[in-house]
Amino acid sequence: MNRRSKIWVRAKVLPDGEPMTIYGREAWCLRRLIDAGEKGCTPIEQPAPRWSAYVHALRSEFGIAIETIHEAHAGPYKGSHARYSLRSRVAILEDSTTARAAA
């Protein structure tokens, strides 16, 4: 499987960021964050194996600002979980779904 057969997004941080292409789970994560808006996402609401790794890559490799909010939860395995909220304004220029539809 080549990189182009995976999920990808071409995006830029507004107002004047350079266009960048993000592949795979990081692209999926960015889409979830954009769709969630101010509310943000948790791994409980949007299950995926390595949310913290996807967020780390978006921050460190692509310079996207994402806030981590720690929330307590109850139950037999009480503790806390992270809620991730996109703080950068990001525009999707193109993605694998729209590119396939146009082909």
Side-chain angles (χ1 to χ4, degrees):
M1 177 187 299
N2 65 35
R3 290 186 79 121
R4 288 286 178 189
S5 64
K6 292 184 178 183
I7 294 170
W8 57 271
V9 296
R10 186 121 173 98
K12 73 177 204 168
V13 175
L14 298 174
D16 55 3
E18 291 294 318
M20 56 192 151
T21 304
I22 303 169
Y23 294 94
R25 287 287 190 161
E26 288 82 9
W28 173 89
C29 179
L30 180 59
R31 273 292 196 189
R32 302 290 77 73
L33 290 167
I34 291 170
D35 292 346
E38 276 293 311
K39 178 185 171 199
C41 296
T42 73
I44 294 168
E45 299 163 347
Q46 298 284 329
R50 304 227 15 223
W51 259 96
S52 60
Y54 313 144
V55 168
H56 176 75
L58 290 171
R59 287 174 176 152
S60 63
E61 294 174 32
F62 300 102
I64 298 172
I66 302 168
E67 181 181 8
T68 302
I69 303 155
H70 296 281
E71 299 178 336
H73 60 260
Y77 303 103
K78 68 182 179 180
S80 67
H81 61 271
R83 177 173 297 276
Y84 300 105
S85 186
L86 185 62
R87 295 300 180 220
S88 292
R89 288 184 27 231
V90 178
I92 300 296
L93 307 173
E94 183 182 22
D95 65 21
S96 53
T97 303
T98 56
R100 272 182 249 159

